[in-house]
Amino acid sequence: MERIVAWGKEQAQVRALVLEGSLAKQQSIDELSDLDINVWYEGEIPFGQTISWLADIGEVLIENRLQMETPAGMINTQLVIFGNGVKVDFSFWPVSLLEKAFPYYEKLEILLDKDSQAGQIKQCISEKNGARMEKAEFDRIVNEFWFELHYVAKFLKRGEIWFVQGIQAGIRENYLLPLLEESARLKGQKLSFSGRKIENWTDTTRLAAIFADYSLASNWQAMWEEIALFEEISNFIALQYHFALPQVKIERMKNLLRGIQEG
């Protein structure tokens, strides 16, 4: 981080450097933690487009250039693993974006501020308010979960285990995880993003059963364990929020899945 700040001081286009992520939040930090650095700039920059600009910071082992969707629009990023093993996620923000505050940061630390813009940058802090899940979102998740399970059953019947496990990864991420998170919020648990530290905020004794090995029997069993867990959590949330579940449709879908498996 000291090298990055020293580099930023020497670059005329760099107007501010901001640290975000786990180090800024002071949460879940260890020797493998990344540095998440926002480079606020003006003018034309080579940063994020080549690797030559990184030479003043350290030897590059490998890097990847991407775009990140934010409330302010698409932002260029460059994810770098340096030769010493430290990973730095750089993102590049034109200072013109500060003309209008936008919600982005949860926590931040100003590392460099050449133009006294810290106040404007901090206006972009948006604390998560833990808003409850809306009924429309709950209904969408429930509907799509059961729809996707049709593919799981169909391709298991065809013996396509590799393909099924890819579908199941999407189901866990897009449908099961949001309900696990909502359930944990209702119980007063403090969450991390993308299922991180899930062992700290939910009961994981049931989770092992939804991960299959590379056999048909294991994958069928995992599907039904996943269904049981999803039903338990969706019923809990529906009860807390007084949402109605499409029970008739759910029972018919379970019968359809059994028919595919046994037919």
Side-chain angles (χ1 to χ4, degrees):
M1 192 161 8
E2 291 176 356
R3 291 187 189 181
I4 292 169
V5 173
W7 164 83
K9 289 178 179 178
E10 298 298 318
Q11 308 301 313
Q13 303 101 314
V14 175
R15 307 315 303 167
L17 295 173
V18 175
L19 175 71
E20 61 166 321
S22 59
L23 284 170
K25 297 173 190 174
Q26 290 295 297
Q27 293 178 358
S28 304
I29 301 171
D30 59 23
E31 66 275 8
L32 299 176
S33 295
D34 301 341
L35 292 174
D36 297 284
I37 302 291
N38 305 157
V39 179
W40 286 91
Y41 71 91
E42 62 182 4
E44 297 295 322
I45 59 169
F47 322 136
Q49 302 170 32
T50 68
I51 65 169
S52 57
W53 69 275
L54 293 161
D56 291 332
I57 298 173
E59 174 202 6
V60 175
L61 176 60
I62 191 168
E63 54 89 36
N64 195 17
R65 298 164 218 176
L66 302 169
Q67 282 199 319
M68 173 176 65
E69 186 174 356
T70 77
M74 299 303 292
I75 295 296
N76 290 329
T77 69
Q78 192 165 10
L79 316 182
V80 184
I81 301 176
F82 287 95
N84 62 359
V86 174
K87 179 173 176 282
V88 182
D89 294 349
F90 293 98
S91 55
F92 307 98
W93 304 74
V95 293
S96 59
L97 292 177
L98 293 175
E99 294 173 4
K100 183 178 180 181
F102 55 90
Y104 174 70
Y105 295 106
E106 186 176 347
K107 298 289 183 182
L108 63 82
E109 179 182 342
I110 304 292
L111 303 177
L112 179 66
D113 184 11
K114 295 179 180 177
D115 305 312
S116 301
Q117 293 174 310
Q120 293 167 277
I121 295 172
K122 288 179 179 178
Q123 287 182 23
C124 299
I125 291 177
S126 177
E127 295 285 353
K128 293 183 178 179
N129 57 17
R132 59 177 278 170
M133 179 176 284
E134 297 294 331
K135 184 177 186 302
E137 177 66 2
F138 178 78
D139 290 344
R140 181 193 67 80
I141 288 172
V142 170
N143 187 71
E144 292 184 14
F145 171 80
W146 288 103
F147 192 91
E148 289 295 307
L149 283 176
H150 174 258
Y151 291 115
V152 172
K154 181 167 67 174
F155 287 103
L156 277 181
K157 192 66 177 179
R158 293 170 175 169
E160 298 187 39
I161 295 174
W162 178 282
F163 189 60
V164 164
Q165 294 203 358
I167 298 171
Q168 285 285 39
I171 289 174
R172 289 192 298 270
E173 179 179 354
N174 297 316
Y175 311 124
L176 187 57
L177 179 59
L179 293 197
L180 284 168
E181 291 175 336
E182 191 68 15
S183 174
R185 273 191 288 268
L186 282 165
K187 296 172 182 176
Q189 300 294 323
K190 187 173 182 179
L191 310 181
S192 297
F193 64 93
S194 300
R196 287 199 60 198
K197 306 293 183 181
I198 194 171
E199 297 81 6
N200 297 337
W201 52 261
T202 197
D203 179 5
T204 58
T205 55
R206 301 276 299 282
L207 295 185
I210 72 172
F211 289 86
D213 62 29
Y214 207 84
S215 69
L216 282 173
S218 176
N219 277 268
W220 282 117
Q221 180 65 26
M223 184 191 79
W224 289 109
E225 294 286 352
E226 178 181 59
I227 287 171
L229 180 59
F230 187 87
E231 286 196 280
E232 179 181 312
I233 299 167
S234 59
N235 281 325
F236 171 75
I237 294 170
L239 182 64
Q240 296 298 311
Y241 290 154
H242 305 289
F243 293 161
L245 280 162
Q247 294 294 358
V248 173
K249 181 191 294 185
I250 288 170
E251 291 305 315
R252 292 183 67 183
M253 278 302 303
K254 286 195 286 188
N255 289 335
L256 176 60
L257 298 175
R258 289 190 192 98
I260 294 172
Q261 181 179 5
E262 298 168 2

